Amino acid sequence: MSIIETDAVLHEAHRDNHTHRDVNGGWLRPAVFGAMDGLVSNLALMTGVAGGAVSHRTMVITGLAGLAAGAFSMAAGEYTSVASQRELVEAELDVERRELRKHPLDEERELAELYESRGVEPGLAREVARQLSRDPEQALEIHAREELGIDPGDLPSPLVAAVSSFGAFALGALLPLLPYLLGASAMWPAVVLALIGLFGCGAVVARVTARSWWFSGLRQLLLGGAAAAITYGLGMLFGVAVGG
């Protein structure tokens, strides 16, 4: 194989192995958080109520109420949070945009000094800053990335965050409720299904992180199991107290 062909192969291999996943998207965090929260909170809610020795009908109503209330609360919270963050970023971008319009030379000098501080030769830094500052939108994007650490073209969507959170929470909260909807009268099928779901969610999350699948899955299983056990004990305690 010739040197040119070898370089071409290496270039292709580098390109294939050097792609990055989207870490700034607005759906992954609310979806993961929503699914985990739905599983843990509804499981804990239902085990707490079950500790009070209530009827099958009460368990179903409790699970449905927990699913609906939690899903809408998560969606509203995510929408408000992401929208507020986006509005703050847009306000800062407006400030930077005005500065570029009113004081273009000062902003260009600021950009050159930034490159100099990172080891670029002064003359080259000034020339790079001058060329990049010719396009106002490009200059805004560069200043936003360098000074604010954001990409103006990749801001998270409040709607995407809200929908992701709602759907994921509802799906997670459905797992401990599903056995009761299918006719189960005991709590253990709901607990087993929910714990399996927690382990599975943790294992899936590990595919987009650096953690091993078993560590992430086991961590979620233990946290969810602990929450369910504590609330079950509290439900028994309160049930006896109220009954007495």
Side-chain angles (χ1 to χ4, degrees):
M1 184 180 290
S2 66
I3 295 178
I4 295 177
E5 291 173 333
T6 302
D7 288 343
V9 171
L10 291 174
H11 173 72
E12 289 295 325
H14 173 75
R15 186 182 64 183
D16 293 340
N17 295 320
H18 202 66
T19 56
H20 296 282
R21 290 165 291 196
D22 180 14
V23 297
N24 293 320
W27 66 271
L28 181 59
R29 183 190 62 83
V32 170
F33 181 62
M36 296 297 183
D37 193 26
L39 266 167
V40 175
S41 64
N42 218 28
L43 175 62
L45 174 64
M46 293 178 68
T47 52
V49 173
V54 299
S55 66
H56 176 273
R57 182 171 181 270
T58 300
M59 289 297 297
V60 172
I61 292 174
T62 298
L64 288 173
L67 186 156
F72 281 110
S73 176
M74 285 288 293
E78 282 293 338
Y79 186 91
T80 303
S81 174
V82 175
S84 299
Q85 179 187 7
R86 186 181 179 112
E87 289 164 1
L88 175 61
V89 169
E90 289 174 343
E92 291 301 312
L93 288 175
D94 286 339
V95 171
E96 191 64 35
R97 189 177 286 110
R98 285 196 300 271
E99 288 300 309
L100 284 167
R101 186 174 62 251
K102 293 180 179 179
H103 309 287
L105 294 180
D106 290 336
E107 291 294 312
E108 181 181 319
R109 188 179 304 109
E110 184 179 291
L111 191 60
E113 291 172 354
L114 176 64
Y115 290 142
E116 284 184 46
S117 69
R118 294 184 177 178
V120 180
E121 295 181 0
L124 180 58
R126 288 193 296 271
E127 179 60 21
V128 169
R130 185 187 68 79
Q131 293 189 29
L132 293 177
S133 299
R134 288 184 297 192
D135 181 353
E137 288 304 313
Q138 178 177 258
L140 175 64
E141 181 177 332
I142 293 170
H143 279 275
R145 286 177 174 172
E146 298 292 350
E147 296 176 24
L148 304 176
I150 59 173
D151 184 351
D154 192 27
L155 300 181
S157 166
L159 184 60
V160 169
V163 171
S164 300
S165 181
F166 182 94
F169 186 98
L171 184 61
L174 181 63
L175 282 184
L177 176 61
L178 192 58
Y180 283 98
L181 293 177
L182 296 177
S185 57
M187 186 68 201
W188 70 265
V191 173
V192 170
L193 185 59
L195 292 179
I196 292 173
L198 282 168
F199 185 87
C201 282
V204 169
V205 170
R207 294 188 62 85
V208 294
T209 65
R211 288 290 187 181
S212 60
W213 64 270
W214 61 266
F215 177 88
S216 184
L218 188 60
R219 178 177 58 185
Q220 296 304 324
L221 187 151
L222 291 175
L223 290 173
I230 292 171
T231 53
Y232 182 79
L234 290 173
M236 289 184 64
L237 179 64
F238 295 151
V240 170
V242 172

